[in-house]
Amino acid sequence: MHQTRRIPIVELNDYLTCKLCKGYFIDATTIIECLHTFCRSCIVRYLEKNKYCPVCDVQVHKTKPLLNIRPDKTLQDIVYKLVPRLFQSN
């Protein structure tokens, strides 16, 4: 029989949190060039002044970096499933 193992949320935080604000993703948004994900508001604010990914320094877009970001609904759904009170507070 297959046993399920409970993993503490702390072990998953690196995959569920924004590298800019350090909080859980809100409107998870991914840079299509490198696949790094951030909160939408965090990455939009960052890209107003920068054209490179804050994690790996890949150029997002020469002139219009906001064209190369996409919502990541699947990752956001995972965050809301693992941190249910986060969805309620938004």
Side-chain angles (χ1 to χ4, degrees):
M1 185 174 237
H2 181 48
Q3 288 210 346
T4 57
R5 181 178 150 236
R6 294 185 68 84
I7 299 172
I9 189 89
V10 175
E11 291 184 27
L12 300 174
N13 276 348
D14 279 348
Y15 308 102
L16 307 175
T17 55
C18 175
K19 301 298 185 237
L20 295 170
C21 73
K22 309 292 189 234
Y24 289 111
F25 292 126
I26 303 295
D27 295 329
T29 302
T30 300
I31 296 173
I32 61 173
E33 299 297 324
C34 61
L35 301 179
H36 286 115
T37 304
F38 309 90
C39 297
R40 178 163 184 76
S41 62
C42 293
I43 195 61
V44 167
R45 193 174 327 117
Y46 179 86
L47 291 175
E48 287 173 354
K49 297 182 175 120
N50 304 282
K51 295 178 180 151
Y52 297 89
C53 172
V55 173
C56 67
D57 263 355
V58 71
Q59 188 174 40
V60 179
H61 190 277
K62 280 188 178 194
T63 56
K64 297 181 181 178
L66 295 181
L67 295 177
N68 284 4
I69 61 174
R70 299 287 181 272
D72 194 331
K73 183 175 174 1
T74 303
L75 183 54
Q76 188 62 60
D77 287 346
I78 291 169
V79 171
Y80 285 151
K81 291 258 189 226
L82 294 173
V83 190
R85 283 175 269 154
L86 184 68
F87 180 74
Q88 294 168 355
S89 65
N90 282 331

